[in-house]
Amino acid sequence: MVYIVEVENGTISGAEALKSEWEDRSRLKNNGTKLVTPWLTSAYQAMQLIGKVLDSTQSTDPQFNYSDGRAFTALFRNRTFNLDLGNLTMNSIGQRAAQLGFRYFSNISDRFEVQHTG
């Protein structure tokens, strides 16, 4: 039996901290019904990511041409962003590079042991 566990710091606790606030706000705004929080979490993190890229670009290159899609997407590559819900690392092709750990159940120790993290 093998489990794959995401080990990025802060992701769960950050999301849990925002979850109750989002639920309270959605109940007030939507007559007592709450919105589905996974989409809110994803949207919040996506907007924060774009904001970080735009903010860093304005401070380093005020004349940056945002209509150049290739140059704009390059700003996301090979970077780690410190977001409210945890760190987000983008690889060389602009995809999220999650830190994963692999654990297996050892018959010798009778418990799960870490095989690999990376």
Side-chain angles (χ1 to χ4, degrees):
M1 183 181 300
V2 175
Y3 282 94
I4 300 174
V5 181
E6 188 172 349
V7 294
E8 291 183 15
N9 294 330
T11 304
I12 299 299
S13 61
E16 288 298 322
L18 292 172
K19 180 181 175 187
S20 62
E21 181 180 343
W22 285 337
E23 287 177 345
D24 291 343
R25 287 183 183 201
S26 67
R27 278 191 201 101
L28 290 172
K29 195 89 169 158
N30 298 303
N31 297 324
T33 60
K34 64 180 183 176
L35 299 174
V36 182
T37 54
W39 288 296
L40 290 173
T41 305
S42 296
Y44 179 80
Q45 192 156 341
M47 292 295 106
Q48 191 177 30
L49 174 64
I50 291 171
K52 294 244 182 204
V53 169
L54 293 174
D55 187 47
S56 68
T57 304
Q58 287 181 344
S59 62
T60 58
D61 185 7
Q63 302 302 318
F64 185 79
N65 180 9
Y66 292 99
S67 64
D68 182 353
R70 189 174 295 214
F72 185 68
T73 57
L75 299 172
F76 291 85
R77 294 187 188 126
N78 294 319
R79 290 182 66 182
T80 298
F81 299 93
N82 185 354
L83 306 175
D84 289 350
L85 302 180
N87 291 334
L88 176 68
T89 301
M90 304 293 273
N91 65 15
S92 62
I93 60 173
Q95 292 180 338
R96 180 179 181 208
Q99 296 176 343
L100 299 175
F102 296 93
R103 299 188 311 168
Y104 70 98
F105 189 80
S106 170
N107 292 333
I108 296 169
S109 67
D110 218 20
R111 57 185 229 185
F112 284 99
E113 296 181 2
V114 175
Q115 178 66 31
H116 173 76
T117 59

